Amino acid sequence: MPVRSVLRMGDPRLLQASARVTQFHTPELSALIRDMEDTMRAERGSGLAAVQIGVPLRVVLFGYGFNPRFPACDPVPMTVLINPQIEPIGTERESAWEGCLSVPGMRGLVPRHTHIVYRGLDAEGKTIQREASGYHARVVQHECDHLDGILYPSRIEERDQFGFVGELEAAGRLATGALPCDDTANTDSRRS
Ligand code: NI
């Protein structure tokens, strides 16, 4: 299946709000999800929103395996989430470094809710509801932001906590080589 090119920051299509999916079991939806899976795998991402491949529908995909560098991150199975909703649990937030396939080569320190409940539908139109914490919660919040046209740089609160990976590593902010892939955060988090 085709790997699609990922839109990059500056493309106005990334700033649009995506529309709800109203029809399930269609060949178009199946093809979209396959393309998203292939693209995310090819780009070694841990999450992708449909709008990043130019389809402004409320569909996100995320999932990642166990990474020995980040034993605190439980693996999350590959999940398709359609028309998602997020509800924070409590008020705790934490900051961690994020990247995005639409902002290649860069990282920024982004505060997110530490604990959330998310709900949505799977590709068959069945309900998904999960509680998530830490990195899992972060990925879901990052991907759902894409559906409202929000890219992580606009969530950064401290302007010196954003830059290119090489420069941040040279400055001792990011551990060298410690980032598993793009569109992810590492777990070098701090409470905020
Ligand atoms: Ni992203």
Side-chain angles (χ1 to χ4, degrees):
M1 294 305 293
V3 170
R4 308 269 287 265
S5 60
V6 176
L7 305 184
R8 304 207 303 176
M9 187 169 69
D11 189 313
R13 288 174 289 177
L14 287 170
L15 303 178
Q16 66 190 318
S18 294
R20 291 175 65 81
V21 173
T22 55
Q23 297 202 304
F24 291 81
H25 304 289
T26 66
E28 290 80 10
L29 183 60
S30 300
L32 170 63
I33 290 167
R34 279 200 305 274
D35 286 0
M36 287 175 68
E37 287 169 345
D38 291 344
T39 303
M40 192 174 102
R41 199 170 296 119
E43 301 286 343
R44 299 192 309 126
S46 57
L48 189 71
V51 69
Q52 290 181 277
I53 58 169
V55 179
L57 290 173
R58 301 186 85 81
V59 179
V60 300
L61 174 69
F62 53 88
Y64 46 88
F66 177 77
N67 187 324
R69 285 188 184 134
F70 305 106
C73 292
D74 288 331
V76 171
M78 195 67 81
T79 301
V80 175
L81 191 64
I82 299 172
N83 300 338
Q85 288 183 296
I86 293 176
E87 202 178 304
I89 301 174
T91 56
E92 188 184 348
R93 297 199 309 163
E94 62 188 1
S95 292
W97 292 94
E98 293 189 13
C100 179
L101 296 176
S102 295
V103 192
M106 302 191 80
R107 295 291 184 275
L109 194 69
V110 181
R112 300 279 186 191
H113 297 292
T114 307
H115 307 287
I116 62 169
V117 178
Y118 65 84
R119 300 180 184 85
L121 302 172
D122 69 11
E124 306 298 315
K126 295 198 199 90
T127 300
I128 296 175
Q129 176 169 326
R130 290 182 191 155
E131 279 188 36
S133 297
Y135 186 65
H136 181 183
R138 175 170 299 275
V139 170
V140 174
Q141 290 170 85
H142 175 117
E143 298 313 326
C144 290
D145 263 358
H146 278 296
L147 304 183
D148 295 322
I150 298 168
L151 297 170
Y152 82 82
S154 64
R155 296 272 189 204
I156 294 168
E157 293 182 345
E158 298 163 70
R159 63 182 181 154
D160 62 337
Q161 305 289 0
F162 181 47
F164 289 96
V165 173
E167 280 71 7
L168 289 167
E169 286 177 348
R173 291 219 175 96
L174 288 175
T176 305
L179 295 159
C181 50
D182 234 312
D183 218 74
T184 63
N186 67 21
T187 57
D188 185 15
S189 63
R190 63 186 199 187
R191 304 279 159 171
S192 66

